Amino acid sequence: MILRDKAGVVTGASLGIGRAIAIGVAAEGAKVLVNYHKSEKAADEVVSHIQKAGGTALKFQADVTKKSEVEAMVTFARKSFGRIDFLVNNAGLQTRAWVEDMTEEEWDLVIDTNLKGTFLCSQAMIRIMKEQGGGRIVNITSGRGLGGQVRGAHYSATKAGMMGFAKTLSQEVAPYGISVNSIAPGPMDTLHWRKGKSPEEIERAEREQEVRNPLLRKILVPEDIVGTVLYLLTDASKVMTGQTIFLRSP
């Protein structure tokens, strides 16, 4: 098991991509704190799945936009596991609106969850990682951060911001043995991705992927990202930092 004796936090880990990552790193021996905001039942299911497979997992409710809740989560993780070796910033959301019609509340909700949440979790975590002499931070971003998205300016802005944040943070913490990288998975078949899409829109997206990516010929599923996360959490990527890995072209 390549993550044996390692411990970390995956935010937004009750559903979708976060769920797959939490289960995937636990399968490789890591102790995992499953962060969730509202989906407690789903978080319980993730923890149960990991424990039944022989792994170690705990859950913790925290709104990543609230500094006090993030700090409480990090303190709990360190007290429970003894150390924190990695953080996966996955918590995020998206709404759809034209810029002209977007409300300030909509803008703030997406910016705060996706970008401020990444900042707060990383800030709290690097203090511990510096004391320990190293650690890994992985941001789950999106190709939309470079390619843009109609009716998703706030989402695209956060994902571009996460990549820029990782670039800068990686330079600040490199002397302490901490790496910071991002993964941009592209379209991924999750409830989040399907929300608000008609069957026709989903079918069209699948056809577009077949044209753009003839080797794979499909929309990705959450489990497809796990291998890349594992790479960034192990010594295989020890000289890599400040980078974004695109699983699809932006």
Short mmCIF file of all heavy atoms in Angstrom, two decimals, residues 177-231:
data_model
loop_
_atom_site.label_atom_id
_atom_site.label_comp_id
_atom_site.label_asym_id
_atom_site.label_seq_id
_atom_site.Cartn_x
_atom_site.Cartn_y
_atom_site.Cartn_z
N GLY A 177 9.37 21.67 2.27
CA GLY A 177 9.09 20.31 1.82
C GLY A 177 7.63 20.05 1.49
O GLY A 177 7.18 18.90 1.49
N ILE A 178 6.88 21.11 1.20
CA ILE A 178 5.46 20.97 0.88
C ILE A 178 5.26 21.22 -0.61
O ILE A 178 5.72 22.23 -1.15
CB ILE A 178 4.61 21.99 1.67
CG1 ILE A 178 4.86 21.83 3.18
CG2 ILE A 178 3.13 21.82 1.35
CD1 ILE A 178 4.27 22.96 4.01
N SER A 179 4.58 20.31 -1.28
CA SER A 179 4.25 20.49 -2.69
C SER A 179 2.78 20.88 -2.83
O SER A 179 1.94 20.47 -2.02
CB SER A 179 4.55 19.23 -3.50
OG SER A 179 3.63 18.21 -3.17
N VAL A 180 2.50 21.66 -3.86
CA VAL A 180 1.12 22.10 -4.14
C VAL A 180 0.88 21.96 -5.63
O VAL A 180 1.54 22.62 -6.44
CB VAL A 180 0.90 23.57 -3.72
CG1 VAL A 180 -0.59 23.92 -3.85
CG2 VAL A 180 1.39 23.83 -2.31
N ASN A 181 -0.05 21.10 -6.00
CA ASN A 181 -0.37 20.88 -7.41
C ASN A 181 -1.88 20.83 -7.60
O ASN A 181 -2.64 20.73 -6.64
CB ASN A 181 0.25 19.56 -7.89
CG ASN A 181 1.76 19.62 -7.95
OD1 ASN A 181 2.34 20.29 -8.79
ND2 ASN A 181 2.43 18.90 -7.04
N SER A 182 -2.29 20.90 -8.86
CA SER A 182 -3.71 20.87 -9.20
C SER A 182 -4.00 19.82 -10.25
O SER A 182 -3.13 19.45 -11.04
CB SER A 182 -4.16 22.25 -9.73
OG SER A 182 -3.91 23.27 -8.79
N ILE A 183 -5.24 19.34 -10.23
CA ILE A 183 -5.71 18.41 -11.25
C ILE A 183 -6.97 19.00 -11.88
O ILE A 183 -7.89 19.41 -11.18
CB ILE A 183 -6.06 17.03 -10.66
CG1 ILE A 183 -4.85 16.42 -9.95
CG2 ILE A 183 -6.55 16.08 -11.76
CD1 ILE A 183 -5.16 15.13 -9.21
N ALA A 184 -6.99 19.05 -13.20
CA ALA A 184 -8.16 19.54 -13.94
C ALA A 184 -8.75 18.37 -14.73
O ALA A 184 -8.25 18.02 -15.79
CB ALA A 184 -7.75 20.67 -14.88
N PRO A 185 -9.78 17.74 -14.18
CA PRO A 185 -10.27 16.51 -14.80
C PRO A 185 -11.11 16.68 -16.05
O PRO A 185 -11.30 15.73 -16.80
CB PRO A 185 -11.10 15.86 -13.68
CG PRO A 185 -11.55 17.01 -12.86
CD PRO A 185 -10.44 18.00 -12.90
N GLY A 186 -11.66 17.85 -16.32
CA GLY A 186 -12.56 17.99 -17.46
C GLY A 186 -13.94 17.44 -17.13
O GLY A 186 -14.23 17.13 -15.97
N PRO A 187 -14.82 17.33 -18.12
CA PRO A 187 -16.18 16.84 -17.86
C PRO A 187 -16.17 15.48 -17.16
O PRO A 187 -15.48 14.57 -17.59
CB PRO A 187 -16.79 16.73 -19.26
CG PRO A 187 -16.03 17.69 -20.09
CD PRO A 187 -14.63 17.66 -19.56
N MET A 188 -16.92 15.39 -16.08
CA MET A 188 -16.95 14.15 -15.31
C MET A 188 -18.38 13.84 -14.91
O MET A 188 -19.12 14.72 -14.45
CB MET A 188 -16.07 14.28 -14.07
CG MET A 188 -15.93 13.01 -13.28
SD MET A 188 -14.55 13.10 -12.10
CE MET A 188 -13.13 12.94 -13.18
N ASP A 189 -18.79 12.61 -15.11
CA ASP A 189 -20.16 12.21 -14.89
C ASP A 189 -20.47 12.08 -13.40
O ASP A 189 -20.27 11.04 -12.79
CB ASP A 189 -20.45 10.89 -15.60
CG ASP A 189 -21.94 10.59 -15.69
OD1 ASP A 189 -22.73 11.33 -15.07
OD2 ASP A 189 -22.33 9.63 -16.38
N THR A 190 -20.93 13.17 -12.83
CA THR A 190 -21.35 13.20 -11.43
C THR A 190 -22.73 13.83 -11.36
O THR A 190 -23.21 14.43 -12.32
CB THR A 190 -20.38 14.04 -10.57
OG1 THR A 190 -20.44 15.41 -11.04
CG2 THR A 190 -18.95 13.53 -10.67
N LEU A 191 -23.39 13.72 -10.19
CA LEU A 191 -24.68 14.38 -10.00
C LEU A 191 -24.52 15.88 -10.18
O LEU A 191 -25.40 16.56 -10.72
CB LEU A 191 -25.23 14.06 -8.61
CG LEU A 191 -25.67 12.61 -8.37
CD1 LEU A 191 -26.08 12.43 -6.91
CD2 LEU A 191 -26.83 12.23 -9.30
N HIS A 192 -23.40 16.41 -9.73
CA HIS A 192 -23.10 17.82 -9.87
C HIS A 192 -23.05 18.22 -11.34
O HIS A 192 -23.60 19.25 -11.74
CB HIS A 192 -21.76 18.12 -9.19
CG HIS A 192 -21.29 19.53 -9.33
ND1 HIS A 192 -21.83 20.57 -8.61
CD2 HIS A 192 -20.33 20.08 -10.11
CE1 HIS A 192 -21.21 21.70 -8.94
NE2 HIS A 192 -20.30 21.42 -9.84
N TRP A 193 -22.40 17.40 -12.16
CA TRP A 193 -22.26 17.69 -13.59
C TRP A 193 -23.61 17.57 -14.30
O TRP A 193 -23.93 18.36 -15.18
CB TRP A 193 -21.24 16.73 -14.21
CG TRP A 193 -21.04 16.93 -15.69
CD1 TRP A 193 -20.34 17.91 -16.31
CD2 TRP A 193 -21.58 16.10 -16.74
NE1 TRP A 193 -20.39 17.76 -17.67
CE2 TRP A 193 -21.14 16.65 -17.96
CE3 TRP A 193 -22.37 14.95 -16.75
CZ2 TRP A 193 -21.48 16.09 -19.19
CZ3 TRP A 193 -22.70 14.40 -17.98
CH2 TRP A 193 -22.26 14.96 -19.18
N ARG A 194 -24.40 16.60 -13.91
CA ARG A 194 -25.68 16.36 -14.58
C ARG A 194 -26.76 17.37 -14.19
O ARG A 194 -27.73 17.55 -14.92
CB ARG A 194 -26.19 14.95 -14.26
CG ARG A 194 -25.44 13.85 -14.99
CD ARG A 194 -25.92 12.47 -14.62
NE ARG A 194 -25.28 11.46 -15.44
CZ ARG A 194 -25.80 10.96 -16.56
NH1 ARG A 194 -27.00 11.36 -16.96
NH2 ARG A 194 -25.14 10.05 -17.27
N LYS A 195 -26.56 18.02 -13.04
CA LYS A 195 -27.59 18.93 -12.53
C LYS A 195 -27.89 20.05 -13.53
O LYS A 195 -27.00 20.75 -14.00
CB LYS A 195 -27.14 19.54 -11.20
CG LYS A 195 -28.21 20.40 -10.53
CD LYS A 195 -27.72 20.92 -9.18
CE LYS A 195 -28.78 21.75 -8.50
NZ LYS A 195 -28.32 22.27 -7.18
N GLY A 196 -29.17 20.18 -13.86
CA GLY A 196 -29.59 21.24 -14.77
C GLY A 196 -29.42 20.93 -16.24
O GLY A 196 -29.78 21.75 -17.10
N LYS A 197 -28.86 19.77 -16.57
CA LYS A 197 -28.67 19.40 -17.97
C LYS A 197 -29.82 18.52 -18.45
O LYS A 197 -30.25 17.61 -17.74
CB LYS A 197 -27.35 18.65 -18.16
CG LYS A 197 -26.10 19.50 -18.00
CD LYS A 197 -24.86 18.67 -18.30
CE LYS A 197 -23.60 19.52 -18.28
NZ LYS A 197 -23.32 20.04 -16.95
N SER A 198 -30.27 18.76 -19.65
CA SER A 198 -31.29 17.91 -20.25
C SER A 198 -30.62 16.65 -20.80
O SER A 198 -29.40 16.63 -21.00
CB SER A 198 -31.98 18.65 -21.39
OG SER A 198 -31.07 18.87 -22.46
N PRO A 199 -31.40 15.59 -21.05
CA PRO A 199 -30.82 14.39 -21.67
C PRO A 199 -30.11 14.70 -22.98
O PRO A 199 -29.08 14.09 -23.31
CB PRO A 199 -32.04 13.48 -21.88
CG PRO A 199 -32.99 13.91 -20.81
CD PRO A 199 -32.81 15.39 -20.69
N GLU A 200 -30.65 15.66 -23.71
CA GLU A 200 -30.03 16.04 -24.99
C GLU A 200 -28.66 16.69 -24.76
O GLU A 200 -27.71 16.43 -25.51
CB GLU A 200 -30.94 17.02 -25.75
CG GLU A 200 -32.24 16.41 -26.26
CD GLU A 200 -33.26 16.18 -25.15
OE1 GLU A 200 -33.15 16.83 -24.08
OE2 GLU A 200 -34.17 15.35 -25.36
N GLU A 201 -28.55 17.53 -23.73
CA GLU A 201 -27.27 18.17 -23.43
C GLU A 201 -26.23 17.15 -23.01
O GLU A 201 -25.06 17.24 -23.39
CB GLU A 201 -27.46 19.21 -22.33
CG GLU A 201 -28.19 20.46 -22.77
CD GLU A 201 -28.38 21.44 -21.64
OE1 GLU A 201 -28.91 21.03 -20.58
OE2 GLU A 201 -28.00 22.62 -21.79
N ILE A 202 -26.64 16.17 -22.22
CA ILE A 202 -25.72 15.12 -21.78
C ILE A 202 -25.25 14.30 -22.98
O ILE A 202 -24.05 14.00 -23.12
CB ILE A 202 -26.40 14.22 -20.73
CG1 ILE A 202 -26.66 15.02 -19.45
CG2 ILE A 202 -25.55 12.99 -20.43
CD1 ILE A 202 -27.48 14.30 -18.41
N GLU A 203 -26.17 13.94 -23.85
CA GLU A 203 -25.81 13.17 -25.04
C GLU A 203 -24.87 13.96 -25.93
O GLU A 203 -23.90 13.41 -26.48
CB GLU A 203 -27.08 12.80 -25.81
CG GLU A 203 -26.80 11.92 -27.03
CD GLU A 203 -28.07 11.56 -27.79
OE1 GLU A 203 -29.18 11.89 -27.30
OE2 GLU A 203 -27.95 10.93 -28.85
N ARG A 204 -25.12 15.26 -26.07
CA ARG A 204 -24.24 16.09 -26.90
C ARG A 204 -22.84 16.17 -26.30
O ARG A 204 -21.83 16.10 -27.02
CB ARG A 204 -24.84 17.49 -27.03
CG ARG A 204 -24.01 18.41 -27.93
CD ARG A 204 -24.77 19.67 -28.33
NE ARG A 204 -25.13 20.48 -27.19
CZ ARG A 204 -26.37 20.62 -26.73
NH1 ARG A 204 -27.39 20.00 -27.33
NH2 ARG A 204 -26.63 21.38 -25.67
N ALA A 205 -22.76 16.30 -24.99
CA ALA A 205 -21.45 16.36 -24.32
C ALA A 205 -20.69 15.06 -24.53
O ALA A 205 -19.47 15.07 -24.75
CB ALA A 205 -21.64 16.63 -22.83
N GLU A 206 -21.38 13.94 -24.47
CA GLU A 206 -20.73 12.64 -24.68
C GLU A 206 -20.21 12.52 -26.10
O GLU A 206 -19.11 12.01 -26.34
CB GLU A 206 -21.72 11.52 -24.36
CG GLU A 206 -22.04 11.42 -22.87
CD GLU A 206 -23.15 10.44 -22.57
OE1 GLU A 206 -23.90 10.08 -23.52
OE2 GLU A 206 -23.28 10.02 -21.40
N ARG A 207 -20.99 13.00 -27.07
CA ARG A 207 -20.54 12.96 -28.47
C ARG A 207 -19.31 13.84 -28.68
O ARG A 207 -18.37 13.47 -29.40
CB ARG A 207 -21.67 13.40 -29.40
CG ARG A 207 -22.81 12.40 -29.55
CD ARG A 207 -23.61 12.68 -30.82
NE ARG A 207 -24.11 14.04 -30.84
CZ ARG A 207 -25.31 14.43 -30.38
NH1 ARG A 207 -26.11 13.52 -29.84
NH2 ARG A 207 -25.70 15.69 -30.44
N GLU A 208 -19.31 15.01 -28.03
CA GLU A 208 -18.17 15.92 -28.16
C GLU A 208 -16.90 15.28 -27.60
O GLU A 208 -15.81 15.45 -28.17
CB GLU A 208 -18.46 17.23 -27.42
CG GLU A 208 -19.50 18.09 -28.11
CD GLU A 208 -19.88 19.31 -27.27
OE1 GLU A 208 -19.39 19.42 -26.12
OE2 GLU A 208 -20.66 20.14 -27.77
N GLN A 209 -17.03 14.54 -26.51
CA GLN A 209 -15.86 13.88 -25.93
C GLN A 209 -15.33 12.79 -26.86
O GLN A 209 -14.12 12.56 -26.93
CB GLN A 209 -16.21 13.30 -24.56
CG GLN A 209 -16.38 14.35 -23.48
CD GLN A 209 -15.17 15.26 -23.35
OE1 GLN A 209 -14.03 14.79 -23.24
NE2 GLN A 209 -15.40 16.56 -23.38
N GLU A 210 -16.21 12.12 -27.56
CA GLU A 210 -15.77 11.09 -28.50
C GLU A 210 -14.94 11.69 -29.62
O GLU A 210 -13.97 11.10 -30.09
CB GLU A 210 -16.99 10.36 -29.08
CG GLU A 210 -17.68 9.45 -28.08
CD GLU A 210 -18.84 8.70 -28.71
OE1 GLU A 210 -19.01 8.81 -29.93
OE2 GLU A 210 -19.57 8.01 -27.97
N VAL A 211 -15.32 12.91 -30.04
CA VAL A 211 -14.59 13.58 -31.11
C VAL A 211 -13.26 14.12 -30.60
O VAL A 211 -12.21 13.95 -31.23
CB VAL A 211 -15.44 14.73 -31.70
CG1 VAL A 211 -14.60 15.55 -32.69
CG2 VAL A 211 -16.67 14.18 -32.40
N ARG A 212 -13.28 14.75 -29.42
CA ARG A 212 -12.08 15.38 -28.89
C ARG A 212 -11.09 14.38 -28.30
O ARG A 212 -9.90 14.62 -28.25
CB ARG A 212 -12.46 16.41 -27.81
CG ARG A 212 -13.27 17.57 -28.33
CD ARG A 212 -13.67 18.50 -27.20
NE ARG A 212 -12.52 19.13 -26.59
CZ ARG A 212 -12.60 19.92 -25.52
NH1 ARG A 212 -13.77 20.13 -24.95
NH2 ARG A 212 -11.52 20.48 -25.01
N ASN A 213 -11.62 13.25 -27.81
CA ASN A 213 -10.77 12.26 -27.13
C ASN A 213 -11.06 10.85 -27.64
O ASN A 213 -11.63 10.03 -26.93
CB ASN A 213 -11.01 12.32 -25.62
CG ASN A 213 -10.71 13.69 -25.05
OD1 ASN A 213 -9.57 14.03 -24.80
ND2 ASN A 213 -11.76 14.49 -24.88
N PRO A 214 -10.71 10.57 -28.90
CA PRO A 214 -11.04 9.27 -29.48
C PRO A 214 -10.41 8.09 -28.77
O PRO A 214 -10.90 6.98 -28.85
CB PRO A 214 -10.52 9.39 -30.92
CG PRO A 214 -9.49 10.48 -30.86
CD PRO A 214 -9.98 11.44 -29.83
N LEU A 215 -9.33 8.33 -28.02
CA LEU A 215 -8.68 7.23 -27.31
C LEU A 215 -9.57 6.70 -26.19
O LEU A 215 -9.68 5.49 -25.99
CB LEU A 215 -7.34 7.70 -26.72
CG LEU A 215 -6.56 6.66 -25.91
CD1 LEU A 215 -6.17 5.48 -26.79
CD2 LEU A 215 -5.33 7.29 -25.28
N LEU A 216 -10.23 7.60 -25.47
CA LEU A 216 -11.04 7.19 -24.33
C LEU A 216 -12.52 7.05 -24.65
O LEU A 216 -13.22 6.22 -24.10
CB LEU A 216 -10.86 8.19 -23.18
CG LEU A 216 -9.43 8.33 -22.66
CD1 LEU A 216 -9.35 9.36 -21.56
CD2 LEU A 216 -8.92 6.99 -22.15
N ARG A 217 -13.02 7.92 -25.52
CA ARG A 217 -14.40 7.84 -26.01
C ARG A 217 -15.45 7.81 -24.89
O ARG A 217 -16.39 7.04 -24.93
CB ARG A 217 -14.58 6.59 -26.88
CG ARG A 217 -13.75 6.61 -28.15
CD ARG A 217 -14.04 5.40 -29.00
NE ARG A 217 -13.25 5.41 -30.22
CZ ARG A 217 -13.58 6.09 -31.32
NH1 ARG A 217 -14.69 6.80 -31.33
NH2 ARG A 217 -12.82 6.06 -32.39
N LYS A 218 -15.28 8.66 -23.88
CA LYS A 218 -16.30 8.68 -22.83
C LYS A 218 -16.14 9.91 -21.96
O LYS A 218 -15.09 10.56 -21.94
CB LYS A 218 -16.18 7.44 -21.94
CG LYS A 218 -14.90 7.39 -21.12
CD LYS A 218 -14.96 6.30 -20.08
CE LYS A 218 -13.73 6.34 -19.18
NZ LYS A 218 -13.82 5.40 -18.06
N ILE A 219 -17.21 10.23 -21.24
CA ILE A 219 -17.12 11.19 -20.16
C ILE A 219 -16.47 10.47 -18.98
O ILE A 219 -16.79 9.33 -18.69
CB ILE A 219 -18.53 11.68 -19.74
CG1 ILE A 219 -19.23 12.40 -20.91
CG2 ILE A 219 -18.45 12.59 -18.53
CD1 ILE A 219 -18.66 13.74 -21.28
N LEU A 220 -15.55 11.14 -18.32
CA LEU A 220 -14.88 10.50 -17.19
C LEU A 220 -15.86 10.23 -16.04
O LEU A 220 -16.89 10.88 -15.92
CB LEU A 220 -13.76 11.40 -16.68
CG LEU A 220 -12.60 11.70 -17.63
CD1 LEU A 220 -11.61 12.63 -16.96
CD2 LEU A 220 -11.91 10.42 -18.09
N VAL A 221 -15.50 9.28 -15.21
CA VAL A 221 -16.23 9.03 -13.97
C VAL A 221 -15.27 9.36 -12.83
O VAL A 221 -14.05 9.41 -13.02
CB VAL A 221 -16.72 7.56 -13.88
CG1 VAL A 221 -17.74 7.28 -14.97
CG2 VAL A 221 -15.55 6.59 -13.97
N PRO A 222 -15.80 9.63 -11.61
CA PRO A 222 -14.93 10.06 -10.51
C PRO A 222 -13.73 9.16 -10.24
O PRO A 222 -12.65 9.66 -9.90
CB PRO A 222 -15.89 10.07 -9.32
CG PRO A 222 -17.21 10.44 -9.94
CD PRO A 222 -17.23 9.70 -11.25
N GLU A 223 -13.89 7.86 -10.40
CA GLU A 223 -12.78 6.94 -10.12
C GLU A 223 -11.59 7.16 -11.05
O GLU A 223 -10.47 6.77 -10.72
CB GLU A 223 -13.27 5.50 -10.22
CG GLU A 223 -14.20 5.05 -9.10
CD GLU A 223 -15.58 5.68 -9.15
OE1 GLU A 223 -15.99 6.15 -10.23
OE2 GLU A 223 -16.26 5.72 -8.10
N ASP A 224 -11.82 7.80 -12.20
CA ASP A 224 -10.74 8.02 -13.16
C ASP A 224 -9.68 9.00 -12.65
O ASP A 224 -8.57 9.04 -13.18
CB ASP A 224 -11.30 8.55 -14.49
CG ASP A 224 -12.09 7.49 -15.25
OD1 ASP A 224 -11.73 6.31 -15.16
OD2 ASP A 224 -13.08 7.86 -15.92
N ILE A 225 -10.02 9.78 -11.63
CA ILE A 225 -9.07 10.78 -11.14
C ILE A 225 -8.16 10.23 -10.06
O ILE A 225 -7.11 10.82 -9.75
CB ILE A 225 -9.84 12.01 -10.61
CG1 ILE A 225 -8.93 13.24 -10.55
CG2 ILE A 225 -10.45 11.74 -9.23
CD1 ILE A 225 -9.67 14.51 -10.16
N VAL A 226 -8.51 9.11 -9.48
CA VAL A 226 -7.81 8.60 -8.30
C VAL A 226 -6.34 8.33 -8.57
O VAL A 226 -5.47 8.68 -7.75
CB VAL A 226 -8.50 7.33 -7.75
CG1 VAL A 226 -7.68 6.71 -6.63
CG2 VAL A 226 -9.90 7.66 -7.27
N GLY A 227 -6.01 7.73 -9.69
CA GLY A 227 -4.62 7.42 -9.99
C GLY A 227 -3.74 8.66 -10.03
O GLY A 227 -2.59 8.63 -9.55
N THR A 228 -4.26 9.75 -10.57
CA THR A 228 -3.49 10.99 -10.63
C THR A 228 -3.30 11.58 -9.24
O THR A 228 -2.23 12.11 -8.91
CB THR A 228 -4.19 12.01 -11.55
OG1 THR A 228 -4.46 11.39 -12.81
CG2 THR A 228 -3.31 13.22 -11.78
N VAL A 229 -4.34 11.50 -8.42
CA VAL A 229 -4.22 11.96 -7.03
C VAL A 229 -3.14 11.17 -6.30
O VAL A 229 -2.28 11.74 -5.62
CB VAL A 229 -5.56 11.85 -6.29
CG1 VAL A 229 -5.38 12.18 -4.80
CG2 VAL A 229 -6.60 12.77 -6.90
N LEU A 230 -3.17 9.86 -6.45
CA LEU A 230 -2.17 9.01 -5.79
C LEU A 230 -0.76 9.38 -6.24
O LEU A 230 0.17 9.42 -5.43
CB LEU A 230 -2.45 7.54 -6.09
CG LEU A 230 -3.72 6.96 -5.46
CD1 LEU A 230 -3.96 5.54 -5.98
CD2 LEU A 230 -3.64 6.97 -3.94
N TYR A 231 -0.59 9.64 -7.51
CA TYR A 231 0.72 10.05 -8.03
C TYR A 231 1.22 11.30 -7.31
O TYR A 231 2.38 11.38 -6.89
CB TYR A 231 0.62 10.30 -9.53
CG TYR A 231 1.80 11.02 -10.13
CD1 TYR A 231 3.04 10.41 -10.22
CD2 TYR A 231 1.66 12.33 -10.59
CE1 TYR A 231 4.13 11.08 -10.77
CE2 TYR A 231 2.74 13.01 -11.14
CZ TYR A 231 3.98 12.38 -11.22
OH TYR A 231 5.05 13.06 -11.75
#
